[in-house]
Amino acid sequence: MAPRRSTNKSQQRGDKYSVLLPTYNERENLPLIIWLLVKYFGDSGYDFEIIVIDDGSPDGTLQVAEQLQKIYGEDRILLRPRAKKLGLGTAYIHGIQHATGNFVIIMDADLSHHPKFIPRFIEKQKEGGYDLVSGTRYRGDGGVYGWDLRRKLISRGANFLTQVLLRPGASDLTGSFRLYKKEVLERLVERCVSKGYVFQMEMIVRARQLGYSVGEVPISFVDRVYGESKLGGNEIVSFVKGLLTLFATT
Amino acid sequence: MTKLLEWLLGVSFVGIAWGLVTFDLLDLQLPSVCKEVAWPIPVYLLVVFGCYSLATVGYRVATFNDCEDAAKELQAQIKEAKEDLKQKGLKM
């Protein structure tokens, strides 16, 4: 029998990419993000699955996810919901446990992260054999849409402070659009104790500590929710607290 | 070593060097020019750092890319996705 010819190197090596989508009240956005993921994975030919981790959304997100599962298949869309809002770190742990891929992609489900960058993450990872690839808004042609001057100032100011204090070797630490080798993500989530923005920062800082290699890909971040969720004093204070804690403990 | 300890070490090193020169603690009989120059250096460094910070953050804010095209593309794709999903039987 003639050997099966693979059209894609990663198929030969059996690379599979598990996308973790923690959701809370994303009834409107979930179909759209899944449509985009299916489109870009389909076009690029990489093997994938999408794991939807819904934290008991009252708006019916899970029901929409079930419909999508019927449309795209249970091998592509996995539903692993939880009873209530339990936080990102545990969502990752929960998702990893059910992931059959050897790579894990984390991203936001609200369309601020665009799946078109995923093939670029994958290529970057292959190019350098990186343990993790981080999407950056601050380098190359990365950028943001929908931010006013105040938001940009806070963002750049916070990032500058982080660079000075932590010298992390990555340009965007609070970003949450990343590709990890599965075992790397597992190890890092075990070790991280912070919450919110600082959690994502801690992941990269600990990755450096453990000697993992970090690649970067410029991404565009389209913020459609900023108008509703302004970055207030509380968040800034907790960010600074978290940053100082990382400064003192890592 | 934590970043905090690295900083404390670095600051101590600079501080000791500054103290030795400014107050001539090793009794090296340095020319007074040296002492006069060394004395304001810590403040000078802070001011330089402050200016550098302002300039850097200012530059980065000014050159922060605005992704107009990405937003437009997303809008178009949202329309396309909604149409396609309706055809596939999604009830939104």
Side-chain angles (χ1 to χ4, degrees):
Chain A
M1 196 145 97
R4 207 165 125 239
R5 282 185 60 210
S6 299
T7 53
N8 189 310
K9 257 207 172 134
S10 70
Q11 285 170 359
Q12 285 173 342
R13 288 197 337 216
D15 285 335
K16 184 172 181 185
Y17 300 88
S18 302
V19 180
L20 299 189
L21 279 185
T23 61
Y24 191 73
N25 285 346
E26 294 290 1
R27 185 171 54 99
E28 303 273 331
N29 290 327
L30 187 61
L32 304 172
I33 189 89
I34 287 187
W35 187 87
L36 286 169
L37 282 165
V38 170
K39 172 183 158 70
Y40 284 95
F41 270 112
D43 288 350
S44 61
Y46 297 118
D47 193 12
F48 74 103
E49 63 184 0
I50 302 169
I51 304 175
V52 180
I53 303 153
D54 186 53
D55 281 358
S57 298
D59 74 344
T61 303
L62 192 55
Q63 284 67 47
V64 173
E66 282 162 3
Q67 286 190 58
L68 289 161
Q69 200 180 37
K70 287 202 183 65
I71 294 173
Y72 290 113
E74 286 179 10
D75 57 330
R76 291 300 189 202
I77 316 264
L78 279 65
L79 304 183
R80 299 288 180 266
R82 305 191 297 178
K84 56 181 183 140
K85 214 164 194 285
L86 287 171
L88 209 53
T90 50
Y92 291 164
I93 295 174
H94 186 72
I96 294 169
Q97 282 167 356
H98 297 110
T100 60
N102 53 332
F103 288 96
V104 177
I105 294 165
I106 63 159
M107 61 188 297
D108 290 350
D110 61 0
L111 295 174
S112 52
H113 294 148
H114 198 301
K116 72 179 178 183
F117 293 106
I118 291 181
R120 295 189 213 179
F121 279 33
I122 294 175
E123 279 142 39
K124 184 78 187 179
Q125 192 282 322
K126 289 186 191 302
E127 185 189 305
Y130 295 108
D131 295 304
L132 80 98
V133 177
S134 171
T136 174
R137 296 159 293 177
Y138 300 132
R139 275 240 185 99
D141 56 359
V144 197
Y145 177 82
W147 280 6
D148 58 12
L149 188 62
R150 175 183 176 266
R151 185 74 178 85
K152 285 183 185 177
L153 199 56
I154 294 175
S155 181
R156 285 292 198 177
N159 183 258
F160 179 78
L161 190 60
T162 307
Q163 296 291 331
V164 166
L165 289 179
L166 299 181
R167 300 190 324 272
S171 61
D172 189 347
L173 277 99
T174 52
S176 51
F177 192 6
R178 298 181 187 161
L179 165 68
Y180 290 85
K181 288 183 183 169
K182 187 162 86 168
E183 63 276 14
V184 171
L185 181 59
E186 269 175 310
R187 268 191 95 189
L188 290 175
V189 176
E190 264 171 36
R191 282 171 162 70
C192 290
V193 294
S194 337
K195 305 262 173 276
Y197 290 118
V198 187
F199 171 67
Q200 300 294 355
M201 280 168 41
E202 194 184 355
M203 295 280 274
I204 294 221
V205 169
R206 300 238 177 254
R208 297 301 249 173
Q209 266 185 334
L210 292 169
Y212 290 130
S213 54
V214 179
E216 292 198 311
V217 167
I219 57 159
S220 53
F221 182 92
V222 177
D223 198 340
R224 299 152 82 221
V225 296
Y226 172 49
E228 297 141 35
S229 58
K230 298 218 177 296
L231 199 63
N234 273 335
E235 277 161 306
I236 296 178
V237 166
S238 67
F239 170 82
V240 173
K241 270 196 200 161
L243 175 57
L244 291 177
T245 306
L246 281 181
F247 178 62
T249 58
T250 61
Chain B
M1 189 187 294
T2 66
K3 291 287 181 294
L4 176 60
L5 285 178
E6 280 178 21
W7 270 81
L8 287 177
L9 205 68
V11 168
S12 308
F13 188 73
V14 170
I16 289 171
W18 174 78
L20 286 177
V21 173
T22 311
F23 303 111
D24 208 4
L25 298 173
L26 292 177
D27 214 14
L28 292 168
Q29 310 288 346
L30 294 163
S32 65
V33 171
C34 273
K35 292 190 203 174
E36 278 166 35
V37 166
W39 161 235
I41 280 186
V43 175
Y44 182 70
L45 286 176
L46 278 171
V47 170
V48 166
F49 177 69
C51 293
Y52 167 75
S53 304
L54 284 175
T56 304
V57 174
Y59 173 75
R60 288 175 181 174
V61 170
T63 57
F64 211 156
N65 282 330
D66 272 314
C67 305
E68 300 276 349
D69 292 337
K72 287 202 187 85
E73 182 191 40
L74 183 61
Q75 287 308 316
Q77 285 181 323
I78 288 175
K79 279 205 183 78
E80 197 189 334
K82 283 183 173 166
E83 282 303 314
D84 191 35
L85 287 167
K86 226 192 318 191
Q87 281 182 3
K88 290 190 159 85
L90 187 76
K91 292 172 191 52
M92 290 187 67

